Amino acid sequence: MQLNGLPFPGREREQAMLAQVVADLGRDRPSVVTVLGGPGYGQSRLLRLTARLAEHQGLRVLRAQATPTERDVRYGVVGQLLAPMEGLTDGSLKTLTGQGSQNRLPGLAELLRTARERPTLLVVEDVGWLDPDSLRWFGALVRRLSAARITLLVSSTGRHRPGSCPLASSGPPPVPAVELRLAPLTRRDVAATVALICGRPGDRGFVTAALEASAGNPEVLSEALSRFAGSGYPPVAGRAPELRSVIEAVGGEHTGRVLGVLTDTAVSVVRALAVCGDLLDLSLLYALAGPRATSEPGLTAVLQEHGLVTESGAGLRLCRPGARDWILAGMSGDERAELHARAAELAYRAAVADEDIARLLLAARPVGEPWVIPLLRRACAAALRAGRTDQAIACLARALEEPLEPAPRAELGLELAAIEVLSAPEAADRRLTEIIRTGDGRSGRLRVRAADLGLSRGADKGLRRAVADVLPATDGAERSALTGLFWLTETERQDDTDLAPEAIPPLPADPTCPVQAAARAWRLALRGEGLPAARTLARRALTVDGGAGAMILPRIVAVRTLLLTDDLDEAEVRLDVLHTDLRRRHARAAAAVALTVRSELNLRRGRLDVAERDLAAAERSLPHRLWHPYTVPYLTAVRIAIALENGDTAQAGELADAPAPEESRDGASWGHLLFARALVAVRDGRLPEALELFRATGRWHLSRGRINPALMPWRSMAARVCEALGDHEEAGRLTGEELALARSWGAPSTIGWAQLGVGRVTREGRADRLREAVATLRGTPARLAYAGSLVQLAAAELDAGNARAADPLVAELFTFVIAHRSASRLVARVRELSERTGAAAVRGRVPHPAWATLTEPERRTAALAGLGHGNREIAETLSVTRRTVELRLSGAYRKLGIGGRAELIALLRAAEGCGTDVA
C-alpha cells in the first residue's frame, strides 16, 4: 500500500504501517510512532506523506520541526505545534511567550480537550533537537495518551539504537509504541527508483553504479537521478561516470546540510577528517579538532549515526571522501591553511608517509620547520619517478613559500625551473631570468647555473639579455663563466644588435675557463679551423674540476665538437656520463637535447636501432610540444634522417611537411631542418625544390659563419642535384669547395665524405675518386658514410663492367647491413647490387642454407653476435633485454645446427669473401 497513492520505492513496508496508524487513530486507537534513520533516509518524507493522508481522512494534523538553532528556545517546538490550534487560554499563551509560570504545561489541557471532539495526529520532525521544556511537555503528553484520541508521530535522525529516541526517557507509553528503523535502499529499491525517476528501467551496470555511489541513501539517490534525467541522459551503464559525478555533487550538498545540525565540536572533527583522511589515529584526530573533542561524550557515535564517518583501523574516515570540499567550504581560506598546517605537523610526528604529508603541506600555510623543505624535495623526486609532473612542481613551488635565505631560495628555484619545463616552460624561463638578475656575490654560482640551465634548453633572448645586463656587475670566475655562456649561444647574425655584443668581453684564444673553452672550441669547429685546438679545448671543457663539472651547456657543446673532430668514442662516453648527471638533477630539457645528440652520433655510426631508441627516449624526457622553438628543428631533422635511413619515406614526408614554430627560424638549429627537408625532396624526386632547400641551407649557415662541411654536407648534396639537373659546372664547383674546406678542417670522415661527393658527380675517373673516399672513410667511426661509399664504388665498378671488383665490396656490405632492418635504405641498395653481381654475391648473401629459416629478429641478433658484439651490447643496440638476446641466439644456433658463438663467427666470416672487419 502507498500513502495517498504516492510511490516511495524502498519504503513500502513503512508506508503500510503508517497508513494503519492513521486508520487506527480514526478508530480511536492512539499510539506513539517513532521513525528512525540516517540523514536522507526519508523520515521527513514519510511523516509528511502520513500527515497528508490523515488530513485527507478528516483528521486534525498539528506539525512542528525541531532545529538546532531553537534548541535553547523555551517551548519552541510546542509553540510551533499549537500555533494553529484555537482555544488556548491566556495563561498558556503567556507561558509559550516566556511570561507565564515556569511549572505550567502550556496548551496541554486544551489539546487533550479538543482532541476528544476530533482525532488529532501530532507530527514532530527531528525530536533529537527538542528544547528541554518541550521534551518535558511531550513526556507529560505521552503519559496521558491512554485517555486521548491523539497519535504522536515523530522522527529522529541518526539515532539507530532501539529506544534511543529522546521521548523514550519518559518511560514506556501507556499506548502502543511503534519504532520504524529505516535501512539503506536495496538493489531492488534502487532499480525501482531509477525506473520511476528516469521513466525507464536502468540496465544492470547503471543500477549497480547508482547503488554503490549513493550508498543506498534515498534522498541523495532521488536528487541525483532527477538531475541526471533532467540532463537527458538514459539510465545505461555507459552513462555511469556522469551519474557518479552528479551523485558526488549531491552527496556533498547533503553532507553540508548534515553538518548544519551538529555541534561545533562535531563539525571540527569532521573538518579534521576532511583534511587528513585516515592518516591519524583517533587521539591525534581529536587533538587536531580541538581541546573539546575528547571531552564531548558520544561524539564518535553521533558522527557514525549521522552517516558521516566510519571506523578505519585505529581511527575514522569519511563515508563520502568526495564531500571534502563541501565540508571545508564553511571555513575561510586562512582557517583551512591553518588546519592543514597543524595536520601536517601531527602527521610528521606520527611518521606518516612523505607523500601524504606533502599533500597536507600543499594546502597549508608556511610552517617554518626544518623538516618541511627536505620532505617536499623527497616528495617531488617520488612524484617525478611516478610520472606525476604537476605534483612534483607543486611540491617545490610550495617549498618556496617557506621562509628561506636568498641562496637556498635560488637553489630551490633552480630545481623547480628544471622540471617546470615539463608543463610551463615559459614560467621556467622567467624564474631563471629572475635568479640571474637578482643574484649577488653569495649566489653568483647559482646565477651561473641558472643561466646554464635555461640556455641549455634553447638560446632564449630573454635569458641572454639578462646575462648581458648583469655581466658588468660581475667579476672573477662568475664573469668568465657568464661570458662563456653568452658566446656559447651567440648566433653571429649581423642583425642581432639588440644584445649589444660589443659590450661583452671577447673570448681569449686559449681560455682556461672550461665554459669559455667550450665556446672557443665550438667557434673553431663552426669555422672549420684548428681541429687540434678545437679538440683540446673541448676536452678542457669536459674536465670535472673547475666550473664545468656541474654545468650543462658547455658539456653538450663540447661533445658536439668532438663529433665534428671524429672523436666519437670519447663523445659517446661523455654523453653517457652527462645524461646520467642530467637525470639525477631532473634537468629533463637538457637531457632530451643530450639524447638527441647521442642519437645523431649513433646515426653516424650506422646504429639505426640505437639512434631510434635514443630519439624516443628524448621525446619521453621532454614531449615534442614542450621543446624550445630554437631546438625543436634539430629534433625533427634527426627524426627525418632516421626515417629516411629506415626506409620509412611516409614518416619522413610527414615530418618534413609539419609546420615548425615561426620563432624556430631565429634559432641555431633551423639549418638542420632545411637540410632534412631537402633530403626528403631528393627522395621524392622534387629536384628543383631540393636544390633551393640546399641553397637555403647554405645561405643560413654562411650568414652565421658556419663554414665547416662537417656540420652538414649541403654543398656536395646540392652538387648531386645540380648534376642530375645537368648543371655540371656548378656541381664541380660545389664539390671542389667542400673538399677544400674539409681538408682545411682535417677530420678524416669529413674529408672522406667530401671525396665521396666529388666521386658522385665527376664524369671521368669516377671509380678512382670513389676508391679514395672508401680508403679515407674505412678507418673512421662514420660507418654509415663508409657503407655509402662502398655502395657508390660497387655501383661504379658494375657500371664499368668490372663485376670482379664489385664482388668483395658487396660481400663486405652484406656483412655490414645484415644487422639492419630489412626495409632500411642501405639494405635495399645492397640487395640491388647483389642482384647485379649474380652468383658471386649469392655466396655472400647466404652464409648457411638454414639462414633463411631464421626470423628477422633472430637474423639481426645472430649477425651482431657473429660480428663479435657481446650480449649486453646487442641488447642495447636492439633495445631488448639480455634474456631476449640469449633466447634468440639459442633459437638461431638450433636452426643453424651449430654449437655456439665461435661457430657463428666462423660461419659469417667465411661468408664475407674477404677478411675486412666492418664491425
Side-chain angles (χ1 to χ4, degrees):
M1 180 179 179
Q2 296 171 341
L3 293 181
N4 207 22
L6 297 177
F8 196 170
R11 298 290 181 254
E12 291 81 4
R13 182 182 67 87
E14 290 81 2
Q15 292 176 84
M17 294 181 68
L18 290 172
Q20 185 61 50
V21 166
V22 172
D24 288 345
L25 178 59
R27 301 185 185 97
D28 297 335
R29 298 173 186 172
S31 60
V32 176
V33 181
T34 305
V35 182
L36 301 172
Y41 275 36
Q43 301 93 305
S44 296
R45 188 176 178 184
L46 283 171
L47 264 61
R48 291 165 189 167
L49 290 174
T50 306
R52 286 202 296 270
L53 178 63
E55 289 173 340
H56 181 72
Q57 295 184 9
L59 306 180
R60 181 174 63 168
V61 178
L62 300 178
R63 311 180 197 183
Q65 181 175 6
T67 64
T69 57
E70 295 184 353
R71 195 172 188 181
D72 296 329
V73 177
R74 189 167 181 246
Y75 290 121
V77 175
V78 173
Q80 290 183 51
L81 193 72
L82 301 180
M85 192 180 78
E86 298 178 356
L88 289 176
T89 64
D90 291 340
S92 294
L93 291 172
K94 288 182 179 181
T95 303
L96 289 174
T97 57
Q99 301 175 1
S101 169
Q102 297 292 326
N103 297 321
R104 184 182 180 90
L105 296 173
L108 181 58
E110 294 93 320
L111 174 64
L112 293 172
R113 184 181 67 251
T114 56
R116 297 191 192 99
E117 303 172 0
R118 185 179 181 187
T120 301
L121 176 67
L122 302 182
V123 180
V124 184
E125 297 182 37
D126 296 325
V127 292
W129 298 110
L130 286 174
D131 62 270
D133 291 295
S134 292
L135 183 60
R136 182 170 59 88
W137 188 94
F138 278 106
L141 170 65
V142 169
R143 290 192 295 271
R144 294 169 173 80
L145 283 181
S146 59
R149 303 172 66 190
I150 295 175
T151 289
L152 179 59
L153 174 62
V154 302
S155 70
S156 182
T157 297
R159 305 319 200 254
H160 295 282
R161 298 184 303 277
S164 62
C165 173
L167 299 182
S169 60
S170 59
V175 296
V178 179
E179 187 173 88
L180 302 179
R181 289 187 290 160
L182 305 181
L185 297 180
T186 65
R187 181 184 180 84
R188 179 182 176 184
D189 301 332
V190 171
T193 305
V194 170
L196 175 68
I197 296 177
C198 295
R200 54 177 280 193
D203 63 22
R204 184 177 183 85
F206 184 86
V207 172
T208 299
L211 176 61
E212 293 175 352
S214 67
N217 188 297
E219 180 180 308
V220 171
L221 178 65
S222 298
E223 175 62 24
L225 286 174
S226 296
R227 297 185 190 181
F228 178 85
S231 299
Y233 296 136
V236 296
R239 291 295 183 178
E242 289 86 347
L243 176 67
R244 291 190 182 94
S245 179
V246 174
I247 290 179
E248 183 176 334
V250 173
E253 298 170 7
H254 172 77
T255 300
R257 290 193 293 271
V258 173
L259 289 178
V261 302
L262 296 179
T263 65
D264 291 343
T265 303
V267 171
S268 295
V269 173
V270 175
R271 287 173 174 173
L273 271 177
V275 166
C276 66
D278 57 355
L279 299 179
L280 304 178
D281 61 26
L282 195 58
S283 61
L284 291 177
L285 176 69
Y286 280 175
L288 177 61
R292 297 178 59 184
T294 55
S295 60
E296 185 164 322
L299 182 57
T300 300
V302 169
L303 294 177
Q304 288 177 311
E305 291 167 357
H306 278 79
L308 292 173
V309 305
T310 186
E311 292 183 355
S312 175
L316 302 174
R317 64 176 176 84
L318 292 175
C319 292
R320 291 186 176 277
R324 285 192 173 96
D325 292 341
W326 289 93
I327 293 171
L328 299 177
M331 305 177 70
S332 68
D334 290 342
E335 289 173 332
R336 286 194 296 271
E338 175 65 27
L339 186 59
H340 278 86
R342 291 193 290 112
E345 293 182 88
L346 288 171
Y348 178 75
R349 291 205 295 267
V352 172
D354 287 349
E355 183 178 1
D356 294 320
I357 301 175
R359 177 180 58 80
L360 296 172
L361 288 171
L362 290 180
R365 58 159 174 77
V367 177
E369 295 292 335
W371 54 267
V372 172
I373 292 178
L375 185 144
L376 287 170
R377 273 187 165 135
R378 293 194 301 271
C380 169
L384 282 177
R385 288 192 296 271
R388 298 190 297 270
T389 304
D390 290 341
Q391 183 179 348
I393 292 174
C395 287
L396 285 191
R398 171 62 183 83
L400 284 171
E401 296 176 7
E402 292 292 308
L404 287 166
E405 294 295 323
R409 180 173 297 279
E411 184 75 40
L412 266 178
L414 274 176
E415 294 182 33
L416 176 56
I419 59 175
E420 251 179 343
V421 297
L422 299 176
S423 63
E426 293 81 6
D429 288 342
R430 288 194 298 269
R431 190 179 304 280
L432 294 173
T433 301
E434 180 182 1
I435 295 174
I436 294 170
R437 291 188 179 279
T438 59
D440 53 28
R442 290 173 297 173
S443 59
R445 176 63 179 150
L446 292 174
R447 179 157 53 191
V448 172
R449 288 174 55 196
D452 175 47
L453 180 62
L455 294 174
S456 64
R457 190 175 79 87
D460 183 81
K461 279 191 174 183
L463 289 168
R464 294 184 71 237
R465 188 186 299 278
V467 171
D469 289 345
V470 302
L471 259 175
T474 61
D475 55 20
E478 181 186 4
R479 181 178 179 83
S480 297
L482 289 176
T483 300
L485 287 172
F486 182 89
W487 289 119
L488 272 173
T489 56
E490 171 57 39
T491 62
E492 299 190 17
R493 290 181 55 186
Q494 298 301 317
D495 59 344
D496 192 9
T497 59
D498 58 328
L499 293 178
E502 64 274 4
I504 308 298
L507 289 173
D510 187 22
T512 57
C513 169
V515 186
Q516 294 188 4
R520 184 66 177 167
W522 187 238
R523 285 177 169 269
L524 290 173
L526 294 181
R527 293 198 295 266
E529 301 172 354
L531 184 149
R535 177 185 288 129
T536 300
L537 290 168
R539 288 170 174 168
R540 185 178 301 168
L542 290 166
T543 55
V544 177
D545 57 343
M551 298 190 70
I552 301 168
L553 185 58
R555 288 188 283 173
I556 292 177
V557 171
V559 167
R560 295 186 70 181
T561 302
L562 292 178
L563 260 65
L564 303 183
T565 61
D566 277 1
D567 296 292
L568 268 62
D569 287 337
E570 182 177 355
E572 185 172 14
V573 172
R574 298 291 190 178
L575 275 173
D576 291 342
V577 173
L578 174 61
H579 181 242
T580 301
D581 181 37
L582 295 177
R583 288 185 60 188
R584 177 183 58 81
R585 294 160 62 175
H586 305 301
R588 303 281 288 274
V593 174
L595 285 166
T596 307
V597 174
R598 195 166 73 181
S599 179
E600 181 190 358
L601 181 150
N602 283 306
L603 181 61
R604 288 174 180 242
R605 286 188 153 170
R607 301 173 179 171
L608 299 185
D609 278 314
V610 183
E612 196 169 30
R613 182 198 65 190
D614 283 338
L615 207 59
E619 296 196 68
R620 286 196 302 272
S621 179
L622 187 69
H624 186 275
R625 60 184 175 80
L626 296 174
W627 280 61
H628 195 283
Y630 288 0
T631 55
V632 72
Y634 178 50
L635 170 70
T636 305
V638 178
R639 291 179 68 192
I640 290 174
I642 292 175
L644 287 174
E645 289 300 331
N646 278 328
D648 192 348
T649 55
Q651 184 188 22
E654 290 177 5
L655 292 169
D657 293 338
E662 186 62 30
E663 310 95 296
S664 297
R665 300 175 183 273
D666 297 329
S669 62
W670 179 248
H672 291 271
L673 184 55
L674 289 175
F675 185 77
R677 286 175 172 174
L679 294 178
V680 174
V682 171
R683 183 74 174 182
D684 294 343
R686 297 178 278 117
L687 297 186
E689 181 183 347
L691 180 58
E692 178 53 37
L693 284 169
F694 282 130
R695 285 173 172 166
T697 303
R699 289 192 297 270
W700 186 90
H701 276 275
L702 295 175
S703 69
R704 289 159 174 77
R706 295 170 174 243
I707 302 169
N708 194 345
L711 290 164
M712 61 189 67
W714 62 267
R715 296 173 183 85
S716 58
M717 296 303 297
R720 288 183 61 189
V721 180
C722 288
E723 178 69 17
L725 294 174
D727 192 349
H728 308 300
E729 182 179 351
E730 179 65 7
R733 185 190 69 79
L734 288 169
T735 54
E737 179 181 328
E738 181 167 305
L739 182 57
L741 291 171
R743 285 172 173 160
S744 175
W745 173 237
S749 63
T750 307
I751 296 172
W753 183 270
Q755 290 172 335
L756 180 60
V758 172
R760 281 169 169 165
V761 302
T762 190
R763 309 191 72 181
E764 295 182 3
R766 182 184 178 197
D768 292 336
R769 292 303 187 99
L770 291 173
R771 288 189 192 95
E772 290 179 1
V774 169
T776 304
L777 290 169
R778 176 172 283 123
T780 70
R783 308 309 297 161
L784 196 60
Y786 174 57
S789 68
L790 288 174
V791 169
Q792 293 295 322
L793 179 56
E797 296 288 12
L798 289 171
D799 290 342
N802 193 359
R804 185 180 296 274
D807 285 347
L809 298 172
V810 175
E812 185 175 354
L813 277 168
F814 167 73
T815 308
F816 180 82
V817 303
I818 198 170
H820 285 236
R821 293 176 181 171
S822 59
S824 69
R825 180 166 64 176
L826 186 57
V827 170
R829 292 296 307 277
V830 174
R831 188 179 296 116
E832 294 173 6
L833 290 171
S834 65
E835 290 173 356
R836 293 178 63 186
T837 56
V842 174
R843 294 192 298 271
R845 193 166 63 248
V846 185
H848 190 281
W851 187 263
T853 66
L854 303 184
T855 64
E856 182 176 341
E858 286 174 342
R859 282 198 302 270
R860 299 172 71 195
T861 305
L864 288 170
L867 293 173
H869 297 290
N871 286 5
R872 180 178 180 180
E873 185 179 1
I874 296 172
E876 292 177 353
T877 300
L878 300 180
S879 302
V880 297
T881 65
R882 294 178 66 178
R883 177 60 177 163
T884 300
V885 172
E886 293 169 0
L887 292 174
R888 289 180 183 176
L889 288 178
S890 297
Y893 297 157
R894 184 177 63 257
K895 293 177 182 179
L896 294 173
I898 59 177
R901 189 182 298 262
E903 293 181 56
L904 180 63
I905 293 173
L907 183 151
L908 287 177
R909 284 181 177 173
E912 290 177 10
C914 63
T916 304
D917 180 11
V918 293

